[in-house]
Amino acid sequence: MSIKELIQNRRSVRRFKDEPVSDEEITELLEAARWAPSAGNQQPWHFYVVRDENLLEQLVDVAFGQSFLAEAPVAIVVCAEPERSARRYDDRGRQLYCLQDTGAAIQNMLLLAENMGLSSCWMGAFDEEQCSRVLSLPDERRPVAILPIGHADIDPKAPRRRPLEEITDYL
């Protein structure tokens, strides 16, 4: 599949089959994340692979009851390390670049998951403080997204996209 097809075919999936995701598949996704671009090559990210069913259930509570999270066999919690970016870029690194960088890592994982026949959903609606407590995260790590990973049990249709004319200006 071409990169264009991957981009256009990827969907947010919220229903998963009861099928495992192998350690090798998770490692491939993490490798894709690791190769994402980052400001000044600071790589201000850390990934938590959650397979424990009890922790997945606790993350459902953290994510305002989004129960599909616990249906996935695994979730990756993507964290930013703001101070890693701040060492080189001060406040802009702390407030912006670390988030842009983790976003690039997340997109790499989502696209590779699609290419591998896996599915996910970029979850940003969750309580950061509760997430940090549930996973016992150190203070220097800020949870940015939760990615449930699994085999889709649904084939969602493409959502409407705004036309280019509405979102683009040539100057």
Side-chain angles (χ1 to χ4, degrees):
M1 192 179 308
S2 74
I3 190 70
K4 180 180 177 183
E5 291 170 318
L6 280 171
I7 291 167
Q8 291 176 340
N9 289 338
R10 192 214 60 81
R11 298 283 172 273
S12 293
V13 169
R14 294 175 178 86
R15 285 184 47 199
F16 299 96
K17 294 178 182 175
D18 187 20
E19 293 179 20
V21 174
S22 72
D23 290 341
E24 293 78 16
E25 289 170 312
I26 294 300
T27 298
E28 282 189 58
L29 295 174
L30 295 170
E31 278 292 335
R34 190 170 75 95
W35 282 98
S38 65
N41 197 31
Q42 296 302 294
Q43 304 172 51
W45 44 57
H46 196 91
F47 309 96
Y48 291 88
V49 178
V50 182
R51 290 188 184 274
D52 181 88
E53 290 179 15
N54 182 46
L55 282 178
L56 289 170
E57 286 294 339
Q58 289 180 61
L59 288 175
V60 167
D61 292 335
V62 165
F64 313 117
Q66 296 179 78
S67 59
F68 69 90
L69 173 55
E71 292 176 19
V74 61
I76 299 174
V77 178
V78 181
C79 294
E81 295 180 332
E83 293 310 310
R84 182 176 292 274
S85 290
R87 286 189 289 229
R88 181 155 183 188
Y89 297 108
D90 299 316
D91 230 24
R92 191 155 175 88
R94 184 180 296 110
Q95 301 299 323
L96 179 62
Y97 296 162
C98 68
L99 299 177
Q100 290 175 331
D101 297 344
T102 54
I106 292 164
Q107 183 73 343
N108 277 9
M109 285 191 283
L110 294 175
L111 291 174
L112 183 59
E114 173 68 24
N115 193 56
M116 294 168 62
L118 296 170
S119 295
S120 186
C121 180
W122 184 330
M123 296 178 66
F126 61 90
D127 184 300
E128 284 186 41
E129 288 181 21
Q130 284 184 348
C131 184
S132 293
R133 274 196 302 278
V134 164
L135 299 178
S136 301
L137 301 181
D139 290 342
E140 67 269 11
R141 296 198 179 126
R142 177 183 177 189
V144 173
I146 303 172
L147 307 179
I149 309 281
H151 298 273
D153 195 22
I154 191 170
D155 186 17
K157 300 301 173 219
R160 184 186 89 68
R161 295 292 177 187
R162 294 167 55 198
L164 280 177
E165 301 78 33
E166 186 178 311
I167 64 171
T168 308
D169 284 305
Y170 290 88
L171 307 175

